[in-house]
Amino acid sequence: MIAAPVPENEVERLAALRRLLLLDTPPEERFDRIVEFAAGEFNVPIVLISLVDSDRLWLKAKIGLDVCEAPRSTSFCAHAIHAHEPMIVPDTALDPRFSDNPLVTGELGIRFYAGAPLALEDGHRLGTLCLIDTEPRTLDALDIAILGTLRDLVVSELKLK
């Protein structure tokens, strides 16, 4: 497993994340509706709105998982926040960053990941809207565009808090 590097602007990124005052807050319908829509639109069992904190991945909204947080060290989203565009991993078992990750090899059995980074206008990427499946798959151009639109909706909601 290859851990994601820490972003060069980590101190500023974490400060921007904390200014949102969203970490460790209760679920909110405005975010829950987005993950529910995405799960149906993409026919995936797991959809998350994740925020990448200093040592954990915290889930603001989720479908298909019972946990509220996970270690940052094993998270796919910690990799995805380094990109401007969605990070799409069609088959995690074939990607050297993730093939021996316990989220892939263990009970959860993640085989597909698509994470669209949630970036504020200052450029800080705070987390992702991500789609997860237990089967390998791909996204076409229209799917990627829809994921981007939903990501933009999440970012708009983040700024409303």
Side-chain angles (χ1 to χ4, degrees), residues 16-115:
L17 174 61
R18 291 192 176 94
R19 279 193 299 274
L20 290 177
L21 302 174
L22 282 172
L23 290 171
D24 302 307
T25 59
E28 295 179 61
E29 184 179 355
R30 63 193 177 125
F31 294 110
D32 292 343
R33 282 187 286 181
I34 296 169
V35 296
E36 288 169 9
F37 178 83
E41 176 69 22
F42 293 100
N43 192 29
V44 293
I46 301 171
V47 179
L48 311 172
I49 294 175
S50 71
L51 299 173
V52 180
D53 200 0
S54 59
D55 59 352
R56 66 182 173 148
L57 179 74
W58 185 76
L59 306 178
K60 179 58 185 165
K62 61 190 187 259
I63 292 272
L65 286 182
D66 292 329
V67 300
C68 294
E69 62 183 63
R72 179 176 174 169
S73 61
T74 58
S75 80
F76 292 77
C77 301
H79 288 268
I81 64 170
H82 287 274
H84 294 284
E85 298 301 319
M87 181 182 88
I88 301 169
V89 184
D91 189 344
T92 59
L94 301 178
D95 189 308
R97 295 171 295 178
F98 308 114
S99 60
D100 61 347
N101 185 309
L103 299 172
V104 175
T105 61
E107 185 179 328
L108 194 54
I110 294 173
R111 290 295 298 277
F112 167 80
Y113 173 90

